[in-house]
């Protein structure tokens, strides 16, 4: 059963209750973030990179450690292009089901895989998006304790159930607004259509005046730092 209609409501309920999470960016700015979960994938991620290259867009990728270990060359290709890298756990197990030790190991093992593939220092890879969007206050407490930054979303078109490119594009265009944090998937579930989806979606968003930035840029906006945004 598709639940895409409910995600905007869930966002409105959860966002004020968990302000330490990054849900979106500056509502006064046309800057939005395009993010991809569940990769890197040996076929789908390179297809995504081709589209992003064509439009000179920098995106953010939340990786599974197991997938990085399986496709280190793909991971390096993403990193070498300057895309922002975050963590999605090692094997997509929901964080609330893990013990604190298992959760810490899941994140640290994923950081190690990224370091081995991309030579990115673990201190540079601190953004975490929980698999399935599931977390508890205790999860967030551990993130703070371990100096990770929790990242969620504001636009979720449920592309992982493959409702079709047209449907995913329509859902994004209906929900997008200033500061939106859009989540798509370049992994096993949903990755088959993701390149075709952004090939249609990106030109339409550009036509509407949106500018693509990374998750880190959204954090900087929200923290009111004075550093300029690299991709505006």
């Amino acid at each position: 059963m598709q639940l895409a209609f409910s995600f905007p409501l869930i966002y409105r309920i959860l966002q004020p209750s968990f302000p330490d999470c990054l849900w979106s960016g500056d509502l006064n700015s046309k800057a939005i973030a395009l993010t991809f979960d569940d990769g890197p994938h040996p076929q789908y991620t390179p297809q995504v990179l081709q589209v992003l290259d064509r439009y000179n867009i920098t995106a953010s990728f939340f990786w599974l450690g197991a997938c990085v270990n399986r496709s280190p060359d793909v991971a390096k290709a993403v990193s070498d292009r300057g895309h922002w890298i975050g963590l999605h756990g090692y094997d997509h197990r929901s964080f609330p089901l893990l013990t604190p030790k298992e959760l810490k190991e899941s994140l640290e093992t994923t950081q190690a895989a990224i370091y081995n593939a991309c030579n990115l220092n673990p201190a540079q890879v601190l953004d975490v998006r929980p698999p399935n969007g599931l977390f508890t206050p205790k999860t967030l407490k551990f993130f703070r304790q371990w100096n990770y930054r929790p990242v969620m979303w504001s636009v979720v078109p449920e592309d992982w159930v493959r409702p079709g490119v047209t449907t995913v594009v329509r859902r994004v265009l209906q929900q997008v607004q200033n500061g939106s944090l859009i989540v798509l998937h370049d992994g096993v579930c949903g990755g088959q259509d993701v390149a075709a989806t952004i090939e249609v979606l990106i030109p339409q968003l550009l036509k509407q005046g949106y500018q693509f930035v990374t998750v880190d840029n959204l954090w900087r906006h929200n923290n009111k730092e004075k550093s300029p945004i690299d991709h505006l």
Side-chain angles (χ1 to χ4, degrees):
M1 182 175 66
Q2 295 187 28
L3 300 172
F5 70 91
S6 67
F7 285 114
L9 176 60
I10 294 171
Y11 164 73
R12 287 194 295 270
I13 293 172
L14 292 180
Q15 190 267 346
S17 301
F18 298 98
D20 290 341
C21 297
L22 180 69
W23 295 88
S24 61
D26 185 356
L27 294 178
N28 297 311
S29 169
K30 296 286 285 187
I32 61 176
L34 186 60
T35 72
F36 301 90
D37 287 2
D38 294 357
H41 187 278
Q43 178 181 352
Y44 309 141
T45 303
Q47 292 172 352
V48 168
L49 291 180
Q50 288 181 357
V51 180
L52 297 177
D53 286 351
R54 191 175 308 127
Y55 292 99
N56 194 29
I57 283 171
T58 306
S60 302
F61 291 78
F62 289 86
W63 282 343
L64 298 171
C67 292
V68 175
N69 284 334
R70 283 195 291 266
S71 302
D73 54 334
V74 178
K76 190 173 189 305
V78 174
S79 178
D80 285 350
R81 285 166 167 79
H83 298 293
W84 191 253
I85 308 302
L87 310 170
H88 201 44
Y90 187 79
D91 53 10
H92 212 275
R93 285 184 294 166
S94 294
F95 289 166
L97 301 180
L98 303 180
T99 66
K101 182 175 183 289
E102 289 172 334
L103 175 58
K104 197 168 192 288
E105 287 179 350
S106 176
L107 298 174
E108 290 179 347
T109 305
T110 303
Q111 285 175 312
I114 292 169
Y115 174 77
N116 291 334
C118 309
N119 200 32
L120 283 179
N121 190 302
Q124 297 175 262
V125 188
L126 298 174
D127 285 329
V128 182
R129 175 175 280 152
N132 306 309
L134 298 177
F135 63 90
T136 66
K138 184 177 289 188
T139 309
L140 300 183
K141 177 183 176 182
F142 289 131
F143 287 168
R144 287 192 296 271
Q145 181 180 330
W146 301 331
N147 295 316
Y148 293 106
R149 303 192 299 186
V151 177
M152 296 301 292
W153 30 253
S154 61
V155 178
V156 189
E158 205 179 14
D159 61 321
W160 63 88
V161 300
R162 300 190 67 191
V165 169
T166 301
T167 297
V168 173
V169 170
R170 174 175 51 79
R171 288 172 177 172
V172 174
L173 294 177
Q174 287 174 343
Q175 298 178 40
V176 71
Q177 60 181 329
N178 288 358
S180 282
L181 210 170
I182 304 166
V183 56
L184 297 170
H185 294 76
D186 63 331
V188 173
C189 297
Q192 301 92 331
D193 302 323
V194 67
T197 296
I198 61 173
E199 183 68 73
V200 176
L201 181 62
I202 287 173
Q204 297 195 45
L205 292 172
L206 290 172
K207 187 176 181 180
Q208 293 184 28
Y210 289 108
Q211 298 164 313
F212 292 87
V213 301
T214 66
V215 162
D216 188 51
N217 295 137
L218 297 189
W219 276 117
R220 284 193 272 164
H221 266 310
N222 286 9
N223 292 333
K224 295 182 169 60
E225 293 184 11
K226 296 181 180 179
S227 302
I229 291 184
D230 300 332
H231 305 291
L232 285 181

